[in-house]
Amino acid sequence: MKNNRTNESDSSPFVRWWKSGKIQKVSRITYDVVWNFILFFLIIGVVGAFFAVGLGAGYFASLVKDEPIRSHASMEQDIYNYEETSELYFAGEQFLGKVRSDLYREGVTLDDISTYAKDAVISTEDEYFDTHNGVVPKAILRAIFQEVSNSSSQSGGSTLTQQLIKNQILTNEVSFERKAKEILLALRLENFFQKDEILEAYLNVVPFGRNASGRNIAGVETAAQGIFGVTAKELNLPQSAFIAGLPQAPSVYTPFTNSGELKSEEQLEPGLSKMELVLERMLEAETISKQEYKDALSYDLVADFTNAQPSSIEKYPFLTQELQERSKDIIASQLANEDGYSEKDLNENDDLYAQYRDLAEHSLRNDGYIIHSTINKEIYEKHQEVVANYNNYGPANTINPTTGEAYDEPQPVEAGSMMIENRTGKIISFTGGRDFNRQQLNHATQAFRSAGSTAKPTLVYAPGIELGAVQPGSVIADIPVPEYGDGGLSNYGGRFHGFTSARNALAYSYNVPAVKTYMDIMNQNPGSYYEKMGIELETDQLPSLALGSKEVSVEQNVNSYATFGNMGKYVESYMIEKIETKEGEVVYEHKEKTNDVFSPQTSYLTIDMMRDVLDYGTARGASTYLENQGVDWAGKTGTSQNYRDTWFVATNPNVTIGSWMGYDTEASLTNGYSARNVEFWSRLVNAAGDVNQELVEPSASFTQPSGIVSRSYCAVSGDLPSQLCGDFGLVKSDIYNVNHVPTKQDNSLLQTNSVTINGKSYIAGERTPTEFTNGGIYLNPDFLKENNYSNSDLQYLIPNNEKWSNVLIPSTSDVPADNGAPAPPTGVSVNGNAISWGSSGSADVVGYRIYRSEFTGGNFSLAGSTTGNSLNVSAGSGVYMVRAVDYYGNESSASNQASLGNVTKPTPEEPKNKEDNEGDNPINDNTEEPPEDPPEEEEPPEDEEPPEDEEPPEEPNEDNNGNENGNDGNNGSNSGNGSNNNNSGNNSSGNEGNSRSGQGDENNNKKQDND
């Protein structure tokens, strides 16, 4: 029974249900179903994951399929090839500034960067920089999710490595393709480079907003200097934290506006808040302590912001622009040469030239060159001060000379200058203009203006001396040159100066002698000398070139004059000494380019002539302003057509300095322009001398080379002086090339007699009656003919100088000849004590003889002679008649007779006896011998009309009771001939026809208003 109870208890419903196995079966089925379900989804998930990964990998592969596999060398070149601004230097390694660029960057090594700055950048930009391999996966997934979900929060997923790739190899394009390439290249970069190398490159590449001048900057060194005025190594903690926050939003966080002004407190707040966030991250990363954190938060960072510093283009605009342009030319030429093109190819192909200029500009802005110039910083700055402070440029022009309309703004007189070292060609200094902001044209290097009279030494006299055609003592007649054309040729003021030396002509800048000299050598290629000095001519067959019609720059003109200072050797001017890379590799170094242009003898002779320009010539005013009077300067002024340009260029044994003034329009300068420019030049010299007197104002003078001798010459002909030339004080001396001294004896003067015929003076002949001649010193007619001086030239030949006052000029024409006795004078009449008559009709009459008889029918005797048409008589009453006398001594028949007073013949008294008449002079008995001439009633000669029918003579100019004083001659000519006194003492004194020019002055000390 007991066993039965036990079995009944064991057979409870739960046990029985359990033992029945139903629950196990159900659980097993459920488990199997759930497990299978889970397993299904696991398999699906894994498969899906693999599919997704495969799909993603395939997509990633498709995105980067075109990206080349980059080598270590290729990536190194790309990563470290960040744009770096080129730097400019004065001579002597003095920093000038940076090349003008859209982005300023200066590279620096990691060792020269503050530890604070490095830690700050890593803490805020890439906290896992030290541990990742170029990318942070979770950051990438986060960025992808935010992009797919279009989340408003975009935290970014780029490491420093990825940012470096983006900046240096890829672009800023927002796309999955660019991101995929960025990831791939970042992984590869981390495999090739150390972390420090990557960090250094990043810190030199990343943009940091604007500097205190408002310019865009990149690189931590440029940021440190441009924002705080310190180097990257000197950055403290708060400065480092502020700079580290800038790259995420440079334009927002930068403390300066684009004009360089410090932002307001409100505008500065975002940048300062970012700095605090950077400090927090540095604290979290344990790169700074809590105390450092607190100190940095309380630091007055705003007080550290630097003041605006002018850039080189602001402080030295003309110089910076010029150095950049010259550097571009050099780099363009080098790049072209590397590609197989020559400089000639560039010059002949504008498109090719433009292409390589663009490449050179990009290289100059981005490749970080160090450009060394020849410019002396102190002298250059002093010269800019002269330009700014000089107040005598002349008035601004208000009227457009072409249209006649008023300008909106007055146009000021512009100025340009340059100083070149003769021996080397170095450009020591220059001034480009008065205001770069108003006019960017560099008037020293880019403006080409007519050279004016500064061309006379370089293109006329020096070539003429070199060719043996002229020497300083050569005499040139400054007279009109009709063959010049275009209305003829004249000097300043329209005057002529007669016989003058080449030296004097250059000192006073006479135009005519310069043109005549140039025309004498024009067929000997004088332009070749100009071209040897770097000035190209289209043709040298234009006489106007002698007066500076060729347009040149200040640099070209000064460089040509430096040839004289270098004793005939031209050294091409230059401004770029060398160009090198940041690493010190020299990519360009100037090589001297020279030409032997003139001999030392020619150079010295030209220099000696140009000394007189400053001593007594057109630049004599320089002595008023030059502080050092002991410098051996030689130079030339110049004025162009219509007074549009004024020049002065002068050289000494060391340097050559030239200055120019003029309007940028075609307006003419006002009176006093040359003196104003000479003063400007003088102040430039003084300023440079204050800086470097040894260079600019040497104590040594030019050394006279061998082959130079001194010789005397006659100032009329330039030949060896004759005794007559010396007697009249017309001998001068000068220096010559020994091979071209005067050898011919002077024959220009004659001491003889002359006569006046119809207002012209002729040398008296052997038969010419001396009573009608004037004795004196005359220009030899043979000399005048040899030199092709025409009668129209004669009035201009004699200078208006006391030494020349006794030199008279005879006509070069042949003496008129009537082949026989001259025609008698006509219309003899008496007025008071004056006898007057009309001129003879013959062409060779030299004077008149007046005869008197005491009474009608009496004997006639000579009462006087004259070259005029009247004579005062003192013999009293009588009958008078006149005869004309010609050049050859022939006397005409008698004129009509005229009576003065009582001319009735007295009745003779009867002698008391024959003895009373003994001893009487029979010549007094007019009945004894008839007069030589017929009485008044006699028939006139067959070859003349009766006096009463003849045309009345022109009335002479009379004064002093009939004594004629003519003043015949143009342009101030004073006649000088008159008849000699005859025995009666009643000759008139004439001044007809001995032409003496009043135009010139050989006196070196006479003030001339000429350029």
Side-chain angles (χ1 to χ4, degrees), residues 147-165:
E147 181 69 27
V148 172
S149 64
N150 198 24
S151 172
S152 60
S153 175
Q154 300 286 333
S155 59
S158 295
T159 62
L160 290 182
T161 311
Q162 289 174 264
Q163 293 182 52
L164 184 60
I165 292 294

Side-chain angles (χ1 to χ4, degrees), residues 34-44:
V34 171
W35 171 248
N36 289 329
F37 184 78
I38 293 173
L39 185 60
F40 173 78
F41 279 102
L42 283 175
I43 293 172
I44 294 299

Side-chain angles (χ1 to χ4, degrees), residues 477-495:
D478 182 14
I479 60 178
V481 183
E483 61 266 32
Y484 184 78
D486 296 330
L489 176 66
S490 64
N491 298 303
Y492 179 89
R495 296 173 296 177

Side-chain angles (χ1 to χ4, degrees), residues 753-866:
N753 295 324
S754 72
V755 291
T756 301
I757 301 175
N758 294 325
K760 294 181 180 181
S761 178
Y762 295 88
I763 299 298
E766 294 181 358
R767 295 165 52 194
T768 304
T770 58
E771 68 207 77
F772 302 112
T773 64
N774 283 321
I777 182 170
Y778 295 86
L779 293 180
N780 188 340
D782 293 336
F783 167 78
L784 297 175
K785 291 178 180 178
E786 288 173 7
N787 289 276
N788 298 315
Y789 296 128
S790 65
N791 283 328
S792 61
D793 298 332
L794 302 184
Q795 59 182 311
Y796 303 102
L797 282 175
I798 302 300
N800 184 18
N801 183 297
E802 184 177 352
K803 288 184 178 181
W804 293 81
S805 59
N806 294 321
V807 179
L808 304 174
I809 306 176
S811 172
T812 59
S813 302
D814 292 334
V815 177
D818 283 351
N819 298 321
T826 60
V828 176
S829 62
V830 176
N831 183 11
N833 289 329
I835 309 297
S836 61
W837 57 91
S839 297
S840 167
S842 297
D844 57 355
V845 171
V846 296
Y848 299 92
R849 289 174 179 155
I850 298 87
Y851 293 88
R852 172 182 175 273
S853 173
E854 291 186 8
F855 46 82
T856 301
N859 292 328
F860 283 82
S861 61
L862 185 65
S865 60
T866 182

Side-chain angles (χ1 to χ4, degrees), residues 723-745:
Q723 181 66 40
L724 191 58
C725 186
D727 291 343
F728 280 84
L730 297 178
V731 175
K732 293 189 174 185
S733 63
D734 213 320
I735 56 176
Y736 294 79
N737 183 314
V738 68
N739 296 319
H740 301 291
V741 296
T743 56
K744 180 183 177 182
Q745 190 72 30

Side-chain angles (χ1 to χ4, degrees), residues 122 339 410 580 785 867:
I122 292 173
D339 291 343
E580 57 186 1
K785 291 178 180 178
T867 60

